[in-house]
Amino acid sequence: MSIREPRWFGWALLALCCVPGLVAAYGVGSDLLLGTRHFGSNPIKAGEHFLGDWTLRFLVATLAVTPLRQLTGLHWLARHRRKLGLAAFAYLMLHWLVYALLDVQLDWGELLRDLAKRPYIMIGMTGLVLMIPLAVTSTQNMMRKLGRRWTTLHRLVYVIAFLGTMHFWMSVKKDVTEPAIYAAIFAVLGLYRLVQWRRRWLRARPAMAAGCGCGAPQACGRVVEP
Amino acid sequence: MSIKRPSDLPSSAITPESLYFDRRGFLAAAGALAISAALPGCASADDDPKATGTPFGLQKDDRPTPWADVTNYNNFYEFGLEKTDPAANSGAYKPTPWAVTVDGMVEKPARYQLEDFLKPSKLEDRIYRHRCVEAWSMVVPWRGIPLADVLKRAAPTGQAKYVMFTTVFAPDTMPGLRAPVLTWPYTEGLRLDEAMHPLVMLATGVYGRDLPNQNGAPLRLVVPWKYGFKGIKAINRITLTDKMPDTAWNLAAPDEYGFYANVNPEVDHPRWSQHKERRIGEFAKRPTLPFNGYAESVASLYAGMDLRKNF
C-alpha cells in the first residue's frame, strides 16, 4: 500500500494532540471559576483522571505506530511517533500538576507522605521520572548524538507503559476493567515486538555464524560476505 | 409521606415544582403554569430547592451543597461506577410500591408497606455533614425518621447486638448488578447502640422532596459520623442479629473498609490520607473532623476502643 503522506498530516496530528488538553483546560477552568459542571461536581478529581487517561492513550498511540506502519506500509507514520510520545509526556506532566497544585494544593507534607506511603504513587512517580530523559533526548540532535544508545534508552517506554498501567490499576477503588483493557493493549503491542525481534534474530543467525562477530542478538547490518 | 411521582417518567423530566414555588422562576413559569400544574414533568428548568431543616453539627462556614451536586454526584454501584451513573441509569428503577421487612432477633417481626412503616413517626428535616471515604464531602438537608423509632417498635430481644441492612436486589432495573463488583445485594450494619443513637436517620427525602432514585429511594440510612458507604440505599430489610454482619465494602476490601468506618482524620485509607477533604463546590480543602464533627455526641460510643484497629 502506498498512500503518500498528506501535506497537512503533521499539523492535523499536532492539533489533535492538543484537543484533550484544551478540553480539560476549558472544562476544569470554567467549572472552578464559573461554577459550571462540565467535569461534574468534583472537577479537580475528574480533570486529574481525564489527563491520566490521555497519558495512557497517547502511550498506546506511540507504541502502536511501529506495528501500524509495518502492517499498512505507511512508513511515513514513523516521522510522527515523536509527537505522540511528547504528547504522552505533556499529559503526564499536566496530570501531575493537577494532582500537586489543585488536588493536594502544594501541601508538601502530604505530597511526601503520599510518595513514601502509597505504592501506587511511588509507581506513578517512577514512571514520570523515567519519562523525563526520554522527552529530553527526543530531538534529532540527541538521536544523532546517542546513536544506538538512543534506541536502548527509549526501550524504557515499555517499562513506563507497565508502570502507568500498574499505577492506574492500583488507584481504582474496585472495578479494574479499564486498567485491564490498557494492560491487554500494551501486552498485544509488546508481544508484537517480541515476535518481530525473534523473527529478525532467526533471520540474522546465519549472518552471525558467518562471522560478523559483533554479538548483537539481532542483525547488526554488517553482514560479512563468505 | 407522599410518593406521587409517575414512575414511568425519566427522572430528568421531573422536578418542576421549584419553578412555580420559586419567586425568581415565577415569570418564566407563569406561561407554562396551566400545563405544568396538570402534567408534572414538562418543565425543564430546575432551580435549587430551598434547604430547610434543623442543622446538626454544622461548622460555621458549612452551607448546604447545591441540589445539582447532591443528586448528580453519587456512589450507588447498583446503577454503575461513575458518579453520574446513578442519576443517568436509575430511570427504570421503581421505588414504589415498597415493602420493608424487619426481622431477626425482635419481639415483633413484620413486613410493612412503606407508608405504614413510616406512619407512626414524624418526618423531620435535618441538615447533616456528609463525608465520603474518598475524601470529599457535602452538607445535605435530609428528611426522614429516627432509626431508633423503628427499632423500638420492633422490640429487639436481649440477644440482639447488631442491626443489618439490606438493599433491594432488582437486576431488571439496576444495571450495575450485572457486574460482580460487590457482593450483591449490598449490605451494611451497625452495632445496636450505634443504631439507637438519635442522630441516625432512615431518610426518605432530601431538600424537602422524596429521595431521587440515585440518592437511595425510597429509604436509605444516614449516619453522619461515618463514611458515606455506611449509608446504605434502597433498604428493604432490617435484621437484628447477634453477630457482626457482613458489610459490602468490608467483604470487598477488608484492609481498606472496616465495619465501623467512623470518620477519622488520623487513620488513613491505605491509598490516601483522610486528613483533609474537598467540599463539593469548593476549591480549598477543609480539614476533616473526628467523627465528621459529631464527636461530642458519639465519641462515647467507642470509649476504650482502639480506633486504629477498629477502623
Side-chain angles (χ1 to χ4, degrees), chain B residues 111-254:
Chain B
R111 185 167 186 272
Y112 301 91
Q113 286 308 305
L114 184 61
E115 293 72 13
D116 305 327
F117 180 78
L118 299 170
K119 211 177 287 163
S121 308
K122 196 171 136 282
L123 283 176
E124 290 177 47
D125 289 302
R126 297 181 178 187
I127 307 178
Y128 282 170
R129 294 159 60 87
H130 176 90
R131 170 63 155 79
C132 179
V133 74
E134 297 163 359
W136 55 264
S137 65
M138 294 185 178
V139 173
V140 185
W142 300 108
R143 168 172 287 182
I145 63 172
L147 173 62
D149 281 12
V150 171
L151 296 176
K152 279 179 205 151
R153 207 180 337 142
T157 66
Q159 297 136 280
K161 295 277 176 298
Y162 294 93
V163 187
M164 178 175 177
F165 305 85
T166 310
T167 294
V168 69
F169 182 77
D172 292 343
T173 54
M174 293 176 148
L177 294 179
R178 274 177 239 140
V181 179
L182 294 170
T183 312
W184 311 120
Y186 195 99
T187 56
E188 257 306 340
L190 295 171
R191 229 169 47 195
L192 185 53
D193 60 331
E194 296 179 307
M196 294 296 289
H197 192 282
L199 277 174
V200 181
M201 283 176 97
L202 281 173
T204 61
V206 66
Y207 265 102
R209 300 172 175 183
D210 289 342
L211 281 174
N213 289 347
Q214 63 267 32
N215 291 81
L219 190 70
R220 65 166 291 165
L221 186 66
V222 177
V223 192
W225 70 89
K226 290 178 182 282
Y227 291 120
F229 68 87
K230 295 297 283 184
I232 180 170
K233 303 181 172 87
I235 299 168
N236 69 356
R237 183 179 218 103
I238 299 173
T239 309
L240 280 285
T241 160
D242 57 352
K243 283 190 236 5
M244 186 181 275
D246 284 338
T247 61
W249 276 103
N250 185 243
L251 287 175

Side-chain angles (χ1 to χ4, degrees), chain A residues 32 37 40-42 44-45 101-105 107 110 113-114 117-121 169-175 177-178, chain B residues 66 68-69 73 75 77 81-82 133-134 136 181-182 249 252 257 268-273 275-276 278 280-281 283-285:
Chain A
L32 290 180
R37 291 185 182 84
S41 295
N42 196 348
I44 294 175
K45 261 283 178 273
L101 292 178
L102 303 182
D103 192 355
V104 186
Q105 309 191 338
D107 178 337
E110 202 71 60
R113 267 194 302 276
D114 263 2
K117 283 166 80 170
R118 330 243 178 250
Y120 86 99
I121 299 269
W169 192 298
M170 294 167 77
S171 70
V172 299
K173 196 166 162 194
K174 191 65 183 58
D175 180 64
T177 310
E178 271 190 69
Chain B
D69 295 315
Y73 195 73
N75 279 322
Y77 279 17
L81 307 179
E82 298 294 324
V133 74
E134 297 163 359
W136 55 264
V181 179
L182 294 170
W249 276 103
Y257 310 100
D268 284 359
H269 183 279
R271 287 178 288 142
W272 58 85
S273 156
H275 280 134
K276 294 182 184 175
R278 168 159 294 111
I280 295 303
F283 176 70
K285 287 203 171 175

